[in-house]
Amino acid sequence: MAWSQDEERLLAEIERHLVDEDPRLVSRLESFNERVRRSEESEQRREARARGETTPKAGPRRSTVIIVVSWLLIATLVATLLIMLLRHEAAAITF
C-alpha cells in the first residue's frame, strides 16, 4: 500500500529533524541498516545455492585483504633482516 503525499512529507520532515538533532543515532541506524542489508543478501545467496543456482562469487572482504598484505609485509621484513644478519656474519668471518 502506497503512502500518501502528506505521510511522505511528514516522514521526510521527521527525518530532517532527526538528522539535525541526533546525528549519532542516525549513523547507528545507517550502520544497522547496512548490516541488515548484508545479512539479507547472504541469506539470498544461501537460498540460491540450496536451489542449485549459481551466484557470482563475492570478492574477499577488505579485512582479509588487509591481513594478507600485513603478513606479506612482515614476512618480507623478517626475510630482509635474516639476509642482512647472514651477510654481516659472513663478512665478519672473512676478516
Side-chain angles (χ1 to χ4, degrees), residues 56-73:
K57 180 161 173 69
R61 290 185 176 168
R62 185 178 0 170
S63 59
T64 304
V65 172
I66 291 171
I67 291 170
V68 168
V69 169
S70 299
W71 276 105
L72 288 173
L73 288 173

Side-chain angles (χ1 to χ4, degrees), residues 20-32:
D20 292 341
E21 291 177 12
D22 197 352
R24 184 173 167 218
L25 175 62
V26 172
S27 70
R28 290 178 67 192
L29 290 173
E30 288 173 350
S31 173
F32 174 76

Side-chain angles (χ1 to χ4, degrees), residues 68-83:
V68 168
V69 169
S70 299
W71 276 105
L72 288 173
L73 288 173
I74 291 169
T76 303
L77 177 63
V78 169
T80 302
L81 291 172
L82 285 174
I83 290 170

Side-chain angles (χ1 to χ4, degrees), residues 45-55:
R45 283 193 301 270
R46 270 188 250 122
E47 290 172 357
R49 267 185 269 141
R51 290 189 304 264
E53 298 174 5
T54 58
T55 58

Side-chain angles (χ1 to χ4, degrees), residues 9-52:
R9 181 188 52 76
L10 183 60
L11 286 173
E13 187 177 325
I14 291 170
E15 182 181 3
R16 278 193 304 274
H17 286 294
L18 180 62
V19 168
D20 292 341
E21 291 177 12
D22 197 352
R24 184 173 167 218
L25 175 62
V26 172
S27 70
R28 290 178 67 192
L29 290 173
E30 288 173 350
S31 173
F32 174 76
N33 288 338
E34 178 66 23
R35 287 194 309 260
V36 168
R37 184 190 60 76
R38 281 185 294 193
S39 175
E40 288 173 349
E41 287 174 354
S42 69
E43 180 65 29
Q44 289 172 352
R45 283 193 301 270
R46 270 188 250 122
E47 290 172 357
R49 267 185 269 141
R51 290 189 304 264

